[in-house]
Amino acid sequence: MSFAWLSHRRACKAKQDERRQRIQDLPAVFHEPINDDDRHLLRQPVESLVADVQSGEQDPVDILTAYGKKTLEAHEETNCLTEVMIADAIGWAQGCNKKGPLAGVPVSLKDTVGVQGWDGCIGYSAWVGKPAERDSALVRLLRDAGAVPYVKTNVPITLLSFESDSDVFGRTTNPHKKTHSPGGSTGGEAALLAYGGSRIGIGTDVAGSVRVPAHYSGVYTIKASVGRFLKTGSSTSMAGQEGVAPVYSPMARTLEDLDYFWKAIMTMQPWAYDPTVLPIPWRDVDLSTKPLKWGVMWDDGVVAPSPACKRALEIVVSTLSKHGHQVVDISPPSPYDALKLGSRLLLADGGKIATAPIQAFESNDPGMVQAMRMFRLPSFLRRLYAMYVRYIRGDETYAGLLDGWHAKRVTEFWPLVAQREAYKIKWWEFWKDAGLDFVLTVPNALPAVPHGGMKNGFSSCGYSFLFNVLDYSAGVLPITHVDAELDKLSAFTPRNAVERGAYKDYNSDDMHGLPVGVQVVGQRLEEEKVMEGMKIIEKLLRGDGLDYTLLNVDG
């Protein structure tokens, strides 16, 4: 046991020392203050940066330098970085494809993304010092497109949390408020984008892992459907887990940049780099040919949206209605059923694979600690506890989740997959019968939680997880900020243990100033349509003087 502790501590120290040294050893220009030329570059949208590089007016190394400086500032404030590749990226920028659709654009990557010669340990100390042997499909495409990968960003150990913390890399903080989480599992990426150290980043999503960080940190994303975005050749905490399939998806500082990046990736024919990608080019979607119908899901029946999150949704609903859009309340097939199904499918192994690399004395996420305690209970005690919750406490919602909280045999798992497919059909029929174009809802019931908040709220993921189970395209855009007075919680009686736990972390005074987003959902493989829906919302809000103010707009 003492050897395991020493091994763990040595790996953590080695990785942190390595990161610190790589920052210190950067050329002196990266440690100089941001100047007016840098600020000019930091304000430019991706499309303008690309055009200037393609025309020869801008040197990619200068762009990298500006973003490198800002990234180091962001890391100092939020601890968002894992791998600092900037020194190597100077050479990559010098030799980049200056005619490509992403010519000279620095792109930040979640720690999972495979880059040849660089670790992707995703917070496991046992995986430190095991660099990728080749570039992932995504990185190969990015390089061919002219992009410059330059940093990797922090995640929670196991990747199963809306916080981003590990013994290896430490805790990432929200750039809006250091006491709160930037989200997870793509939290380092969200913090970096929100701070302004990157314009384009790559994350993954299996239960909300790009959408919740976008919501917590005030940035933009569209979660892809399975098969739309590249994924092969990268690290994961649960290789082979396909019950609720994870997807890679882009994140961006602005909607304009997100739109440009999606189109640029698709012009590169990603299916030629990754056999899991469907050969579907980016399609033009014209939403002006007919009235649009937006369905609003106000409550998933498990955790009611907090006052701040409900207010953001109300702003969008009111704005759309004011401008002649048809906005209707909906009662879809039970979102709670999706939460039950999704949790049983995602952790069908009882959490064993995600936690297997964790060494003795290594910290786990507080939410996963709660989950694993339940998994490790003897089955008769778990059933007894579920009976107590159901019949004594009268909490059918939480009891229903407990019923599935155990490792599954194959004979249990396949019927769950069949139930998932039947559930998808219910939603498909509901959507068609209702004549919907989009569903609007909150990304999560709460804004960014305080550090350690997953201990109370680890099961509160239904608003995002639902659309992973359905495999729907779903975007998040920031709408407003928490207001201490407007968003105070009045008398509130939680309906179940999940809601009770989540609301332990809600405090509008402590959360004042944190971003609040809204989720825009289309059906499967409708990323283009979701993008256009998000553009409509942002344009109308801007026209009404309600546009969202980004952090660090002036560089």
Side-chain angles (χ1 to χ4, degrees):
M1 293 291 282
S2 60
F3 176 79
W5 180 83
L6 285 171
S7 173
H8 170 61
R9 295 313 304 165
R10 284 171 181 163
C12 293
K13 184 177 185 302
K15 201 67 194 169
Q16 292 165 15
D17 289 348
E18 176 186 75
R19 179 177 57 177
R20 189 181 307 109
Q21 195 63 49
R22 283 174 174 162
I23 292 173
Q24 290 177 357
D25 290 347
L26 286 171
V29 66
F30 286 95
H31 298 289
E32 294 174 1
I34 290 174
N35 57 40
D36 288 342
D37 290 339
D38 297 327
R39 291 188 185 92
H40 172 74
L41 290 170
L42 293 170
R43 293 191 194 107
Q44 298 304 305
V46 169
E47 187 171 9
S48 295
L49 292 174
V50 170
D52 288 347
V53 171
Q54 290 175 337
S55 69
E57 295 180 20
Q58 190 63 62
D59 186 341
V61 175
D62 291 338
I63 299 173
L64 175 65
T65 301
Y67 275 95
K69 289 181 181 181
K70 194 68 177 179
T71 291
L72 296 184
E73 282 189 5
H75 180 64
E76 183 70 24
E77 287 294 317
T78 67
N79 189 47
C80 57
L81 303 182
T82 56
E83 302 295 326
V84 181
M85 305 184 291
I86 297 172
D88 284 8
I90 296 171
W92 301 338
Q94 290 169 339
C96 75
N97 175 10
K98 296 177 177 60
K99 297 300 179 182
L102 292 169
V105 176
V107 176
S108 48
L109 309 170
K110 186 173 185 172
D111 194 58
T112 56
V113 179
V115 181
Q116 184 177 6
W118 294 84
D119 277 3
C121 74
I122 58 176
Y124 296 121
S125 63
W127 290 6
V128 167
K130 297 179 180 180
E133 295 181 359
R134 61 175 303 198
D135 283 340
S136 60
L138 172 61
V139 170
R140 294 199 304 275
L141 182 149
L142 288 173
R143 293 193 195 281
D144 287 351
V148 182
Y150 68 116
V151 290
K152 297 176 73 174
T153 54
N154 204 14
V155 298
I157 190 169
T158 75
L159 304 178
L160 295 171
S161 177
F162 292 152
E163 301 186 64
S164 293
D165 189 10
S166 69
D167 291 348
V168 174
F169 294 114
R171 169 179 287 154
T172 299
T173 63
N174 193 306
H176 296 264
K177 194 174 283 283
K178 294 180 76 70
T179 52
H180 286 65
S181 169
S185 59
T186 320
E189 199 62 51
L192 180 61
L193 288 162
Y195 193 88
S198 178
R199 293 196 79 91
I200 291 292
I202 304 294
T204 65
D205 195 307
V206 76
S209 289
V210 293
R211 287 163 293 151
V212 171
H215 164 60
Y216 279 11
S217 294
V219 297
Y220 297 77
T221 192
I222 294 178
K223 178 199 77 70
S225 293
V226 174
R228 200 72 204 275
F229 205 83
L230 308 89
K231 71 173 187 178
T232 60
S234 294
S235 305
T236 179
S237 61
M238 295 187 291
Q241 190 286 117
E242 295 288 337
V244 183
V247 291
Y248 273 82
S249 300
M251 304 171 74
R253 183 160 164 80
T254 69
L255 188 57
E256 179 184 9
D257 288 340
L258 186 65
D259 183 47
Y260 181 86
F261 186 75
W262 262 107
K263 291 174 180 176
I265 291 292
M266 291 301 150
T267 65
M268 293 296 294
Q269 299 184 342
W271 49 90
Y273 292 80
D274 185 336
T276 70
V277 178
L278 298 167
I280 304 174
W282 193 259
R283 300 158 293 188
D284 291 331
V285 173
D286 185 359
L287 298 181
S288 65
T289 58
K290 70 178 184 71
L292 297 177
K293 188 174 183 180
W294 308 72
V296 185
M297 188 176 81
W298 292 102
D299 191 332
D300 70 353
V302 180
V303 184
S306 62
C309 295
K310 184 179 181 182
R311 181 170 61 84
L313 186 55
E314 288 172 341
I315 290 170
V316 172
V317 167
S318 174
T319 301
L320 287 169
S321 299
K322 172 184 172 183
H323 289 276
H325 288 260
Q326 185 181 7
V327 186
V328 299
D329 296 348
I330 59 172
S331 297
S334 169
Y336 170 61
D337 286 349
L339 181 61
K340 285 195 297 183
L341 263 175
S343 60
R344 294 174 188 189
L345 288 163
L346 181 64
L347 293 171
D349 68 331
K352 294 173 185 174
I353 292 176
T355 56
I358 296 177
Q359 301 198 79
F361 304 103
E362 186 164 15
S363 302
N364 198 351
D365 174 80
M368 276 301 289
V369 169
Q370 305 298 312
M372 294 309 296
R373 282 175 181 165
M374 190 60 63
F375 277 128
R376 289 166 180 155
L377 274 180
S379 57
F380 79 93
L381 285 178
R382 187 176 55 252
R383 287 195 294 268
L384 192 63
Y385 181 55
M387 290 174 63
Y388 163 75
V389 170
R390 177 174 282 117
Y391 298 115
I392 306 301
R393 290 171 52 179
D395 186 350
E396 179 59 38
T397 298
Y398 190 45
L401 293 173
L402 292 173
D403 288 340
W405 217 254
H406 61 274
K408 315 296 187 297
R409 299 184 299 273
V410 173
T411 51
E412 295 174 282
F413 182 75
W414 286 0
L416 290 174
V417 174
Q419 290 175 42
R420 181 197 66 195
E421 296 306 292
Y423 183 76
K424 289 180 180 179
I425 294 295
K426 287 182 181 179
W427 258 85
W428 180 78
E429 291 174 342
F430 159 76
W431 195 293
K432 182 175 65 171
D433 292 344
L436 298 177
D437 288 291
F438 299 100
V439 164
L440 296 171
T441 192
V442 298
N444 191 263
L446 269 63
V449 297
H451 298 307
M454 286 300 100
K455 180 179 179 179
N456 300 319
F458 75 97
S459 294
S460 180
C461 60
Y463 292 100
S464 54
F465 200 16
L466 167 62
F467 302 111
N468 295 93
V469 174
L470 291 170
D471 193 27
Y472 281 4
S473 307
V476 167
L477 71 164
I479 301 298
T480 187
H481 296 85
V482 178
D483 185 287
E485 294 303 318
L486 291 177
D487 300 323
K488 281 194 180 299
L489 183 65
S490 56
F492 177 74
T493 303
R495 298 169 290 185
N496 54 72
V498 180
E499 194 169 56
R500 183 180 302 109
Y503 269 83
K504 287 180 180 179
D505 293 322
Y506 185 75
N507 184 309
S508 64
D509 291 322
D510 293 344
M511 292 175 166
H512 181 77
L514 285 169
V516 190
V518 160
Q519 190 170 198
V520 182
V521 184
Q523 291 185 286
R524 185 170 181 264
L525 299 170
E526 288 191 341
E527 290 80 14
E528 299 93 337
K529 187 174 182 180
V530 170
M531 182 73 74
E532 295 305 310
M534 292 168 70
K535 288 180 186 177
I536 288 171
I537 291 170
E538 184 157 274
K539 181 179 179 181
L540 292 178
L541 290 171
R542 188 171 291 151
D544 286 355
L546 298 172
D547 44 324
Y548 178 82
T549 302
L550 292 168
L551 190 66
N552 296 337
V553 178
D554 295 328

